[in-house]
Amino acid sequence: CRAIYFAAYSTAKEKLNGVLEPDSTLVHMVSAGMAGFTAITVTNPIWLIKTRMQLDARNRGEQRMSALECVRRVYQMDGIRGFYRGMSASYAGISETVIHFVIYESIKRKILESKARASMDEEESVKDASDFIGMMLAAATSKTCATSIAYPHEVIRTRLREEGSRYRSFFQTLLTVPREEGYGALYRGLTTHLVRQIPNTAIMMCTYEVVVYLLGR
C-alpha cells in the first residue's frame, strides 16, 4: 500500500510541478489526493479482508476463519462489490492524507529554509542527521493534526466493513453512529490509533526522504 502510495505521489508531484507552480500547496494537495485515491482503489479488498478477520467472533474452541475462507464468504454473500465495502469512507479519508502532506511539506520547507539562512548558502544540498530528525518531527506533527481532524472516517469505514452490518453508506453511518451512541463514538479508539500511527509515519517519512536524497546524489 505504501509503495503504491509513494509511487503515485512522486509521479503526480513530478507531473504537476511542470504544470502548476512548483512545490506549491496546490501541487502537494492534488498529488496527495491522487495518490490516496490510487492506493485506496487498489488495496481496499485487502483491508476489508483484514478487518473482517479482526472482527471475526467465533465460539470458543472453534477454529478462526482463514483469509481464504473470508474471501470465499465475502464473495458468496455480496459478490465482487462486497470487497469494496467501506471504500466511500476510505475516499473521505483522503482528506487526512491531503492535510498531512500539506502540513508536512510546509514544515519541511521551513526547516530547509532555516538551515539555508543559517549556513548563508541557499544552494546547500548536503543533509545531516539533524535534517532527518527534523523531518521525523514534521511528519509526527502533521500526522497528529491530520488524524485528529479526519479520524471519524476510520470509525465509519470499520462499521461499513462489518459482516452483516446494518450500515449501508457513508452518510447513513455518519448520521446513525452519533445519534445512537453520541458524537464521542466517532472518536472511539483515537488515542490507540495515534500511538500506532505517529511513530510509524515518522519513521516511514524519514526513510522516504533518506532514499530520495541518496538516489538523487
Side-chain angles (χ1 to χ4, degrees), residues 94-162:
I94 291 175
S95 61
E96 177 182 337
T97 302
V98 171
I99 294 169
H100 164 53
F101 268 88
V102 168
I103 296 175
Y104 172 75
E105 295 282 3
S106 177
I107 296 175
K108 185 178 77 170
R109 183 169 60 250
K110 291 184 182 301
I111 290 173
L112 296 178
E113 288 174 352
S114 177
K115 180 182 177 180
R117 285 195 299 269
S119 64
M120 300 300 292
D121 182 6
E122 295 185 2
E123 300 300 321
E124 178 66 53
S125 62
V126 177
K127 291 185 172 64
D128 55 32
S130 64
D131 291 302
F132 295 111
I133 291 174
M135 289 176 190
M136 288 183 71
L137 293 174
T141 302
S142 60
K143 187 64 175 179
T144 300
C145 294
T147 299
S148 298
I149 293 170
Y151 184 74
H153 90 274
E154 295 277 356
V155 175
I156 294 171
R157 181 172 58 191
T158 300
R159 298 294 180 94
L160 288 170
R161 287 174 175 173
E162 291 176 352

Side-chain angles (χ1 to χ4, degrees), residues 59-101:
N59 294 325
R60 185 171 297 179
E62 264 189 76
Q63 184 178 0
R64 294 190 66 80
M65 182 167 55
S66 67
L68 185 59
E69 181 184 354
C70 185
V71 170
R72 185 164 54 245
R73 190 181 184 92
V74 171
Y75 183 76
Q76 288 174 343
M77 293 182 66
D78 300 310
I80 294 296
R81 64 181 298 179
F83 293 99
Y84 291 90
R85 289 196 64 176
M87 194 159 67
S88 58
S90 294
Y91 284 148
I94 291 175
S95 61
E96 177 182 337
T97 302
V98 171
I99 294 169
H100 164 53
F101 268 88

